Amino acid sequence: MEIKEIQTRLGENIKTIRKSRHLTQAQLSEMAEVSEDTIKSVEQGRVWPEEKTLSNITKALNIDVCHLFLPVGSSFNKNSDESRKIKEAIAENVISYVESVLDDVIKK
């Protein structure tokens, strides 16, 4: 999967989730404490949000960040090559993250 495809999926998922919660871009921007232009740009796939911005958006939408990168709908649950690859990539990233946190804890 190309970077642009991931960026597009991120924007589409934010828009889909926002709309499912009956929120406007202005309302989400206020809740997430970011500009409306930022929400528009992210939803349109024009920019990558900063980590803090992404965190604020997920908190405002009351979702885990991983939901923003998953395929929308039931297609993710099918045993397609794409869903398998995504699940494997997620598992690898989670393992890597947990290992880094454990290393930090052990070093302290």
Side-chain angles (χ1 to χ4, degrees), residues 49-104:
E50 293 180 12
E51 186 176 322
K52 179 160 179 54
T53 300
L54 195 57
S55 176
N56 288 356
I57 291 170
T58 58
K59 285 178 187 174
L61 293 172
N62 196 27
I63 57 168
D64 192 275
V65 69
C66 69
H67 289 99
L68 297 179
F69 296 96
L70 298 176
V72 176
S74 61
S75 64
F76 186 64
N77 295 323
K78 295 181 181 173
N79 288 327
S80 69
D81 282 341
E82 181 182 358
S83 67
R84 183 185 50 76
K85 288 177 186 176
I86 291 170
K87 289 174 184 177
E88 288 173 1
I90 291 169
E92 288 174 20
N93 285 315
V94 167
I95 290 168
S96 175
Y97 174 74
V98 169
E99 287 174 348
S100 71
V101 169
L102 289 173
D103 285 346
D104 288 345

Side-chain angles (χ1 to χ4, degrees), residues 20-35:
S20 75
R21 302 250 175 23
H22 307 288
L23 296 170
T24 64
Q25 289 176 332
Q27 290 169 320
L28 178 57
S29 70
E30 185 176 321
M31 293 168 62
E33 299 176 350
V34 298
S35 72

Side-chain angles (χ1 to χ4, degrees), residues 10-20 23 25 43 61:
L10 169 67
E12 288 173 353
N13 285 351
I14 289 173
K15 183 177 183 176
T16 299
I17 295 166
R18 173 182 60 78
K19 285 187 170 192
S20 75
L23 296 170
Q25 289 176 332
E43 283 187 357
L61 293 172

